[in-house]
Amino acid sequence: MTSPAMMEGLLATVPVQITYGMLLGKVGPTQLMLCAIMCVTSYGLNYWIVIYMLGAWDHVGGSCVIHIFGAFFGMGCTLMASQKGSAENPDNAPRYNADVLCIVGVILNWMTFPSFNAYFAPAAAQEAVVVNTYLALFSSCIASMVFSSLYSGQFKLDPADVQRTSIAGGVAISSVVSIFALPWMAMLIGFIGGGACSTSHHYLRRFLEKKLLITDTVGAVSLHAVPAMVAWVAGVIAVTPLDTTYMGKWSGLAYSSSQQKTMPYDLELDLVFQHNEGNGDTALYQAYMMPVTICIALTTGLATGFVARKIKGPSVARTFSDSIFWKVPEDFQNTEDMGGG
């Protein structure tokens, strides 16, 4: 057991948390356990295909292999495992006290996001990844205030919107772009990611629920899938200029004199990327990464949700009810009984 191996195991749990965020309230503990086991297994399969077989690079925050995979796996699970009509349950709504309390969790995420993104970054670029992540988070906080007040219609802040959008910048910078980005680029990417997160929270989430019957309990699609797509696009754009002038054939002691440019922080194209011919292949395989991940995540998520549906869960009337599995105060029990029947 090594520290990197332990960290890889911890990162494998993040897609499970994203999936749980979409399923909470609609399925039982046994169903959740099945989804967790299959999610980690499917994550490992996708990681092996994308990183080792395809040869893409996603070691700075995992925009595709972690965030997009978790969101789309969760979409497949919730589409198949959720009972019809659960979205209309009156308890499927935020509570103000809970939203305010969740701000504490947002602050903790905000503080730890830079180290999350930078852990597997090349050593010479780790400090830059930390700084760029902080800048992206800072600008996404600004975006949360701007877009939340605009979309509210009353120029007031929506606590649920602010929770997600404030940390969306950390997801939006979680690709190879965090190595290449200058400070102003990181802030721009964070602002775009925050705006995209807020917009999807107000519009895409409703579309998914009404048209596709995909109920996203905590807004995982808004926080993880949409900003991660921003990161993927930014990452492909960042590596597009890499050509033969960056190539330096390794002779065992030094690089050949034909090399004219180096990547930021003296990183070498030949050592960082598996596809390093300098003919656009680096960007091409980075572009392949997201559609491949989505296909694997949706396929495995739908299959897992189909099996989970065969396991008995809460009835539609008792979805989003804590009293089924938790001991709750009597007044809270009475409120649930009145709302859920």
Side-chain angles (χ1 to χ4, degrees):
M1 177 65 70
T2 63
S3 177
M6 185 177 294
M7 192 63 185
E8 287 180 349
L10 290 173
L11 293 181
T13 67
V14 177
V16 178
Q17 298 171 50
I18 298 170
T19 298
Y20 272 23
M22 302 187 72
L23 289 170
L24 285 177
K26 297 173 290 184
V27 297
T30 307
Q31 293 168 298
L32 286 174
M33 186 180 300
L34 170 67
C35 291
I37 294 171
M38 291 305 301
C39 184
V40 172
T41 304
S42 303
Y43 164 84
L45 172 65
N46 178 69
Y47 190 94
W48 177 66
I49 292 174
V50 169
I51 302 300
Y52 294 108
M53 292 186 63
L54 188 64
W57 198 90
D58 200 23
H59 302 301
V60 188
S63 59
C64 286
V65 297
I66 293 177
H67 297 287
I68 286 180
F69 177 85
F72 280 90
F73 184 91
M75 288 174 65
C77 282
T78 193
L79 182 62
M80 296 300 294
S82 300
Q83 299 188 61
K84 188 176 181 180
S86 59
E88 286 74 34
N89 190 309
D91 285 330
N92 181 25
R95 288 183 172 88
Y96 178 75
N97 290 342
D99 278 338
V100 173
L101 182 62
C102 283
I103 297 294
V104 178
V106 172
I107 294 172
L108 292 175
N109 267 294
W110 208 97
M111 294 167 57
T112 57
F113 228 124
S115 58
F116 177 87
N117 281 356
Y119 187 88
F120 283 112
Q126 280 187 326
E127 185 176 348
V129 173
V130 168
V131 172
N132 283 336
T133 303
Y134 268 126
L135 292 174
L137 287 166
F138 171 75
S139 58
S140 68
C141 285
I142 297 175
S144 72
M145 306 303 166
V146 173
F147 287 94
S148 181
S149 60
L150 288 175
Y151 289 139
S152 69
Q154 301 174 333
F155 289 97
K156 294 181 180 180
L157 301 177
D158 177 358
D161 190 7
V162 171
Q163 289 170 22
R164 300 174 183 88
T165 310
S166 295
I167 55 177
V171 181
I173 200 74
S174 64
S175 71
V176 69
V177 71
S178 59
I179 294 177
F180 291 85
L182 297 174
W184 69 268
M185 296 177 185
M187 295 185 71
L188 177 61
I189 292 169
F191 190 87
I192 294 172
C197 175
S198 182
T199 302
S200 63
H201 169 72
H202 287 276
Y203 297 103
L204 179 60
R205 189 177 182 184
R206 298 172 189 172
F207 172 80
L208 291 175
E209 288 188 0
K210 294 181 180 180
K211 301 298 182 180
L212 302 181
L213 303 180
I214 297 175
T215 310
D216 185 0
T217 304
V218 303
V221 172
S222 302
L223 174 57
H224 295 279
V226 175
M229 291 179 182
V230 174
W232 170 72
V233 171
V236 172
I237 294 173
V239 299
T240 297
L242 299 179
D243 54 23
T244 54
T245 60
Y246 288 85
M247 295 178 62
K249 188 175 181 181
W250 181 252
S251 63
L253 297 174
Y255 288 93
S256 65
S257 58
S258 63
Q259 185 176 8
Q260 301 173 30
K261 300 178 183 178
T262 58
M263 297 199 310
Y265 316 106
D266 292 325
L267 297 175
E268 295 292 344
L269 174 65
D270 309 64
L271 299 181
V272 175
F273 297 106
Q274 184 173 332
H275 296 282
N276 48 37
E277 297 298 322
N279 56 5
D281 60 331
T282 305
L284 180 64
Y285 282 90
Q286 291 299 113
Y288 286 157
M289 179 167 54
M290 189 180 77
V292 171
T293 296
I294 290 176
C295 289
I296 296 173
L298 278 178
T299 302
T300 55
L302 288 168
T304 301
F306 177 79
V307 177
R309 192 167 187 168
K310 303 298 182 181
I311 302 173
K312 183 176 177 57
S315 64
V316 175
R318 301 304 293 176
T319 53
F320 302 99
S321 176
D322 292 338
S323 58
I324 302 178
F325 305 109
W326 298 88
K327 184 176 181 180
V328 298
E330 184 177 349
D331 56 343
F332 192 83
Q333 173 75 62
N334 294 335
T335 301
E336 284 195 339
D337 290 339
M338 292 173 61

